[in-house]
Amino acid sequence: MGIETHLPTLALVLSSAAIDGVNPCAIGVLILLISMLMSSGRSVSRMLLLGGLYIFAVFATYLVAGLGLVYFLGAIPLFVTEYLSILVGILIVLAGLVEIKDFFWYQRGFSLGIPVSLSQKIEGFAKNTTVIGVILLGIFVAAVELPCTGAPYLAILTILSLNFDAAALGLLVLYNLVFVAPLIIILFLAVFGTSLGSLSKWRQESRGYMRLFIGLLLVALGWILILLANGTINFG
C-alpha cells in the first residue's frame, strides 16, 4: 500500500518549517512583547531571558502537540489512515488556495488566521511581562495559531506518522527548531539595535508574500500527501 512509506526528504521538512516559521502572529506577538519590555526599562539580559522563554514555550507547545498528533495518527488502522491521509491532503490543498487568494484579495471572503477576539486576548496577555506570564503567553499563542495557521505542520506530521521512528522524531524536533529560528533572529536583532518600527514595517510589508509562499507550499504538500497515500510516489 502507498501508506507504507519511508521518511520524507530533509529538504521537504526544512522548507516547510522555514516557510511556516515566518508566521505573522508569533512574530507580531514577539515584537509586541519586546516593545513592552523596552517601555518598562528592562535590561538587555532581562529581555533576552523573557524573549527566550516565550520562544521556548512556543517551541515546546508545538513539539508536544506534534507528538500527540503523530501518536493519534499512528493509532488509526492502516486502511483508515490511507483514506484519512487523502482527506488531509485535500484539506491542505484547499488551505493553500485560500492563502494564495489572500495574496491577491486579502480579507475578502474566508481567510485562515487568528480571530480578532483571540488576537485581542493575546495583546492583553503580552502586557504581563513576568516569567510565568511570558511562558503562558507562548503556550497560548502556539495553541491558538496551531489550528489556524498550522497546515504545513499538519502535512509534515501526517507524512512522518506513516513511518514514525527515531529518525522521524529527529526530523520533528528539527522542524520545530527551524520553525522558531525567525523568532530567535528577531529577538537578537531587536535587543541589539534594530528598531521595532523597522521590524513591524517589514512584517506588514512581507505579510502578503508570506501568505503566497505558504499557499504554494501547502498546495505542493497536499498533493505530495495524496500521492503518498495512494502509492503513486514513495520517499523510500
Side-chain angles (χ1 to χ4, degrees):
M1 294 177 61
I3 209 68
E4 295 174 352
T5 184
H6 292 78
L7 291 173
T9 63
L10 181 62
L12 180 63
V13 172
L14 291 176
S15 59
S16 301
I19 295 178
D20 190 18
V22 188
N23 190 299
C25 176
I27 291 174
V29 173
L30 178 60
I31 293 174
L32 176 62
L33 174 62
I34 294 172
S35 68
M36 293 291 181
L37 294 172
M38 286 183 171
S39 64
S40 61
R42 300 298 179 92
S43 65
V44 170
S45 59
R46 186 67 175 174
M47 285 190 284
L48 283 173
L49 172 64
L50 295 178
L53 287 174
Y54 165 77
I55 294 170
F56 178 76
V58 171
F59 167 81
T61 304
Y62 244 63
L63 180 60
V64 170
L67 289 171
L69 285 171
V70 166
Y71 177 81
F72 170 76
L73 293 170
I76 298 175
L78 192 62
F79 72 94
V80 176
T81 305
E82 180 174 2
Y83 296 105
L84 180 62
S85 296
I86 293 175
L87 176 61
V88 171
I90 293 172
L91 292 176
I92 289 172
V93 169
L94 293 176
L97 294 176
V98 171
E99 293 283 17
I100 294 172
K101 181 270 298 181
D102 279 345
F103 173 72
F104 296 100
W105 304 287
Y106 183 59
Q107 291 185 333
R108 294 184 184 179
F110 177 75
S111 296
L112 296 174
I114 297 176
V116 175
S117 59
L118 289 178
S119 297
Q120 293 173 345
K121 288 184 178 180
I122 290 173
E123 291 180 5
F125 290 156
K127 297 177 181 179
N128 183 359
T129 56
T130 63
V131 168
I132 298 299
V134 166
I135 292 174
L136 292 177
L137 173 66
I139 294 172
F140 185 74
V141 168
V144 168
E145 72 178 3
L146 182 59
C148 296
T149 60
Y153 195 34
L154 177 60
I156 293 298
L157 290 174
T158 305
I159 294 172
L160 290 177
S161 70
L162 306 181
N163 183 23
F164 196 74
D165 55 13
L169 175 61
L171 286 176
L172 179 58
V173 173
L174 179 61
Y175 182 102
N176 283 278
L177 288 173
V178 175
F179 174 74
V180 298
L183 298 179
I184 297 173
I185 293 171
I186 288 173
L187 174 61
F188 277 93
L189 286 175
V191 168
F192 293 109
T194 303
S195 70
L196 293 177
S198 298
L199 292 174
S200 297
K201 182 180 179 181
W202 168 81
R203 185 176 72 91
Q204 290 295 331
E205 292 178 348
S206 303
R207 182 168 55 184
Y209 291 102
M210 292 179 193
R211 291 185 178 275
L212 177 61
F213 290 141
I214 290 173
L216 294 173
L217 171 70
L218 289 178
V219 171
L221 284 175
W223 276 112
I224 289 173
L225 192 54
I226 293 169
L227 294 175
L228 280 171
N230 64 25
T232 303
I233 62 174
N234 190 301
F235 281 121

